[in-house]
Amino acid sequence: MAEHRSMQRGALLDAARSLLSEGGTEALTFPALAERTGLARSSVYEYFRSRAAVVEELCEVDFPIWAAEVESAMARAGTPEDKVAAYVRSQLALVGDRRHRAVVAISSSELDAGAREKIRAAHGGLVAMIVEALVALGHEQPRLAAMLLQGVVDAAVRRIELGAAEDPGAITDAAVSMALRGVGR
């Protein structure tokens, strides 16, 4: 029974990811979750008491996985410059991934405090790593620079997701180049 419940919970989270990546947070409704999973709407309520609870659990499950991929790319990079490039490239490489799209949709929505806290915690590790690289580059305001650098990444993510005229590779290269010039001495 516990295994069955865990499978249904997994199916609900997967349906939530799809809905978020297709239509943003407005698309994530209990009737839509019920329809996608073939469960009765009342069953969805047995697993999650609210939409916010679904979002919070997705944050708990997906953000750490996503952050770990970025951290691993940065850990493999040699120089501080390479770490900055890996930070940008690895986030942009995840754009096509449904999990990443769900994360982006969640980040841009109105969240309750619990979900915001989980996102902050997951982002915290990434920000700490990029701050470290910026300190190594001799940046005078590494925390501020890290926040602005993430702004460049977020803008590039939106550009790729819009299916902009430029190729995703060109957007990624431009973002990396802007990041490196921006954080250089």
Side-chain angles (χ1 to χ4, degrees):
M1 181 66 190
E3 192 176 311
H4 178 67
R5 280 190 68 78
S6 154
M7 275 173 60
Q8 285 193 326
R9 190 176 204 91
L12 282 164
L13 288 175
D14 212 44
R17 276 183 203 105
S18 293
L19 290 164
L20 283 164
S21 67
E22 291 160 20
T25 43
E26 296 77 50
L28 180 62
T29 64
F30 277 32
L33 281 172
E35 192 182 317
R36 286 283 164 107
T37 54
L39 290 169
R41 202 183 311 182
S42 58
S43 299
V44 178
Y45 281 99
E46 286 174 34
Y47 292 92
F48 298 105
R49 59 184 192 288
S50 65
R51 226 165 64 134
V54 179
V55 166
E56 199 169 321
E57 186 149 335
L58 274 177
C59 293
E60 217 167 304
V61 174
D62 289 358
F63 264 83
I65 294 169
W66 176 82
E69 289 185 41
V70 178
E71 282 185 25
S72 142
M74 288 177 74
R76 288 192 304 272
T79 66
E81 285 89 350
D82 289 345
K83 285 189 188 307
V84 170
Y87 177 80
V88 175
R89 277 188 195 287
S90 58
Q91 288 189 66
L92 297 178
L94 291 168
V95 172
D97 186 316
R98 241 168 14 127
R99 187 173 255 128
H100 183 274
R101 280 209 300 277
V103 160
V104 170
I106 290 168
S107 301
S108 63
S109 70
E110 288 300 309
L111 295 173
D112 70 330
R116 269 201 309 275
E117 201 35 62
K118 289 195 169 64
I119 292 174
R120 244 196 308 278
H123 266 287
L126 282 181
V127 171
M129 286 188 80
I130 198 64
V131 165
E132 207 175 290
L134 295 172
V135 167
L137 284 170
H139 207 284
E140 285 165 29
Q141 291 180 290
R143 283 202 74 77
L144 173 62
M147 296 305 163
L148 297 175
L149 177 57
Q150 186 58 45
V152 169
V153 173
D154 294 343
V157 164
R158 280 192 300 278
R159 191 94 188 132
I160 291 170
E161 288 196 323
L162 283 172
E166 310 87 2
D167 170 70
I171 295 170
T172 299
D173 291 344
V176 168
S177 139
M178 183 174 271
L180 289 173
R181 279 204 304 274
V183 299
R185 290 194 187 100

